Amino acid sequence: MAIAEFAPGSQLVAGKRMFTGGGLYKQPNKNWETVQFAICKRCRRFNRQKGVQPITHCSACGEGIASNVPFYSGEMIRPEFGFVSQYQRKLPVAGNKRPVRLYSSRVYFDDYHVPDHLANQLGPDDHNEALALVPEVSTARAEIRARYSRFGQLALVNHGPEGRGFRVCQNCGYADGETKPPVVGGRRRRGSAPSKHKNPRTNMDCTGFMKTYRLGHEFLTDVLELQINGPLVQQVAAPEGKDMWRSLLYALLEGSSNALGIRRTDLNGTVYYPTATQPPSLVLYDDVPGGAGHVRRIRGALQTIFQAAYERLDSCECGLETACHECLWNFYNQPFHDTLSRGAALSMLSGLIR
Ligand SMILES: [Zn+2]
Ligand SMILES: [Zn+2]
Ligand SMILES: [Zn+2]
């Protein structure tokens, strides 16, 4: 589902015509299923809960959670009936114009979800129960643990403009970006305010109630969880404001793509914090519905990938404290460009290669 591409206000080219997202397809008498989500500010755990009651505490560490905080918490719906484009009598020809994509989505690792009926039939090529040391690539400076599974559950969230979500009409599905900041103190704004707008399908006036949601969905795919421990982790410090783990994550994804010939867009990753005290895990996943065996190949070729990632970063000419499109940046990791440092990833990689 193209939540990033066809969110309200974003544009999409199809059949040489330019479509602009105008809302969510709304089935009469059927409402979207709502899910509460919250990213814990203390342990960074992704929390989710079905229904309309906001999450009040982190399920991992117990920290209190404020509701409806930009980029951290809110109510999410899956646009399961699809999107509708803005009403236009005649659709403009796309020509050479690049579609506007307003808000990039972020992906969070949720948990492993092995279906009950399969639990007794799975082998190590299907699902590992825990992280295990990978002796071939571990050294006294860096212990590397890995866990592979075909049953990694991730959540994609489109937080909307400035993380405030989208206002969605409960009657016709019209949607636009939420412009008002949430009420100070993080108290839930009940959100239901009538507002005059045009039904995107009929172009008729509508005064239905608007509610604020983030758009998102969950998906199951092949994941490879990697954790690095040991003196190396203490020795490498990221420059102020830079994220060493995320920089290393994108370096490994580029290295995997280069070394194994996997299309970079078929592969993605996220940083996951299983506990507040341990180093985070890098979760690499197949960005292909149902998985495609890519991260399973990565598990068997870690040394080659460290080397390829090192070479890519070492040969780039951008500043070490930053990054560029030749090394770590791409269209999809835009929300993180400011936090990526080629130098931080390179220091880690130089401790991982032989
Ligand atoms: Zn927490
Ligand atoms: Zn409406
Ligand atoms: Zn660069």
Side-chain angles (χ1 to χ4, degrees):
M1 213 179 315
I3 285 177
E5 288 80 3
F6 210 40
S10 291
Q11 293 182 322
L12 181 81
V13 175
K16 296 188 179 157
R17 300 277 168 177
M18 185 79 87
F19 294 83
T20 303
L24 278 62
Y25 189 87
K26 174 85 174 61
Q27 292 210 329
N29 311 320
K30 245 184 154 180
N31 274 315
W32 302 281
E33 195 183 324
T34 57
V35 173
Q36 308 296 317
F37 78 94
I39 297 121
C40 175
K41 287 198 173 180
R42 182 159 147 222
C43 75
R44 302 188 230 196
R45 177 79 185 206
F46 182 82
N47 289 266
R48 64 183 284 277
Q49 180 178 295
K50 281 192 179 158
V52 295
Q53 289 302 319
I55 294 171
T56 56
H57 291 86
C58 171
S59 64
C61 77
E63 180 80 353
I65 302 264
S67 58
N68 198 17
V69 178
F71 293 113
Y72 282 98
S73 60
E75 194 159 72
M76 177 167 94
I77 53 173
R78 184 166 71 96
E80 56 196 305
F81 315 117
F83 293 98
V84 285
S85 58
Q86 279 174 9
Y87 183 89
Q88 271 165 323
R89 196 151 297 200
K90 199 164 181 291
L91 283 164
V93 176
N96 294 324
K97 272 179 279 170
R98 275 187 76 124
V100 176
R101 288 180 182 172
L102 292 178
Y103 330 108
S104 25
S105 309
R106 300 185 186 186
V107 172
Y108 306 91
F109 182 73
D110 181 355
D111 210 343
Y112 294 96
H113 276 279
V114 177
D116 287 340
H117 69 279
L118 292 174
N120 296 323
Q121 326 168 9
L122 298 176
D125 278 344
D126 299 308
H127 177 71
N128 303 150
E129 284 297 333
L131 286 163
L133 190 74
V134 189
E136 311 90 89
V137 290
S138 293
T139 61
R141 284 182 77 198
E143 287 180 355
I144 295 170
R145 289 181 173 75
R147 180 180 185 184
Y148 167 78
S149 176
R150 284 170 45 217
F151 305 98
Q153 180 151 304
L154 295 113
L156 179 149
V157 183
N158 185 337
H159 293 278
E162 293 173 49
R164 291 170 182 167
F166 299 94
R167 299 186 317 152
V168 182
C169 174
Q170 300 294 292
N171 181 43
C172 72
Y174 166 91
D176 58 18
E178 174 62 88
T179 51
K180 291 197 210 95
V183 170
V184 181
R187 274 195 63 82
R188 180 185 172 79
R189 198 148 50 81
R190 265 294 160 189
S192 299
S195 125
K196 198 173 154 192
H197 55 265
K198 300 268 189 203
N199 180 325
R201 295 170 68 199
T202 61
N203 204 32
M204 305 286 268
D205 285 341
C206 174
T207 52
F209 279 91
M210 308 288 275
K211 274 195 79 176
T212 302
Y213 298 112
R214 275 65 172 184
L215 305 179
H217 67 102
E218 285 163 331
F219 58 101
L220 208 60
T221 189
D222 291 16
V223 299
L224 178 67
E225 182 182 346
L226 293 174
Q227 197 182 67
I228 304 170
N229 265 301
L232 177 67
V233 177
Q234 267 72 52
Q235 287 156 10
V236 176
E240 180 72 26
K242 303 293 172 176
D243 185 336
M244 189 264 281
W245 293 111
R246 200 167 278 282
S247 304
L248 181 62
L249 170 73
Y250 289 118
L252 295 179
L253 291 166
E254 294 294 346
S256 303
S257 172
N258 292 356
L260 303 181
I262 300 165
R263 276 199 0 223
R264 180 60 185 80
T265 47
D266 287 351
L267 205 59
N268 215 333
T270 186
V271 183
Y272 168 60
Y273 293 81
T275 66
T277 51
Q278 291 243 355
S281 293
L282 305 181
V283 177
L284 282 63
Y285 62 88
D286 286 5
D287 205 0
V288 176
H294 298 321
V295 296
R296 205 169 104 192
R297 287 174 63 210
I298 292 172
R299 177 180 65 164
L302 287 174
Q303 194 54 247
T304 313
I305 286 157
F306 295 158
Q307 188 68 42
Y310 178 85
E311 283 164 17
R312 179 185 176 92
L313 268 55
D314 188 46
S315 65
C316 196
E317 288 169 355
C318 65
L320 283 171
E321 68 292 341
T322 173
C324 72
H325 280 102
E326 298 296 311
C327 56
L328 297 175
W329 290 0
N330 60 46
F331 178 80
Y332 301 96
N333 63 19
Q334 280 182 80
F336 305 110
H337 282 184
D338 286 349
T339 69
L340 300 181
S341 154
R342 178 171 72 94
L346 203 52
S347 304
M348 280 295 282
L349 288 164
S350 63
L352 297 174
I353 57 173
R354 296 283 156 80

